Amino acid sequence: MVAASQIALKLGLWDEDSDRRQFDLIEKAKLPTQLPPGLNIDQILDSLQTDKKVKAGKVRFVLPTRIGAATVTDQVNSDIIRQILESFPMGCLV
């Protein structure tokens, strides 16, 4: 959820205030907000290609657009995914 929020923010689908509110709720619920130590981002990108949400070779993401609403898009390139994952602190699973 944290990564999806950051992707939506990067794509201009979501605003910083909503991102922060969601992040705070995720932390309050004691859900993970960090990546596990030693995680290989290239392996994540490779694994995404085998996900059930891949259609016609494109990974589809469910991204928030406002609190309580989301959109499905296949317009997220691997560079954006890599940027987001590399920005996360290491610790727990996203």
Side-chain angles (χ1 to χ4, degrees), residues 35-84:
L35 296 173
L39 186 71
N40 185 313
I41 291 175
D42 289 321
Q43 287 177 333
I44 292 174
L45 293 172
D46 289 343
S47 294
L48 282 174
Q49 294 303 313
T50 62
D51 190 271
K52 66 183 178 188
K53 293 181 290 295
V54 172
K55 188 174 186 177
K58 291 190 169 193
V59 180
R60 293 181 295 161
F61 287 86
V62 177
L63 301 175
T65 55
R66 65 181 198 283
I67 300 294
T71 189
V72 177
T73 183
D74 64 4
Q75 300 302 305
V76 182
N77 69 48
S78 60
D79 291 336
I80 290 174
I81 300 166
R82 179 179 295 282
Q83 272 184 320
I84 298 302

Side-chain angles (χ1 to χ4, degrees), residues 2-15:
V2 174
S5 181
Q6 289 292 300
I7 291 169
L9 189 60
K10 185 100 174 149
L11 294 176
L13 300 172
W14 178 243
D15 63 84

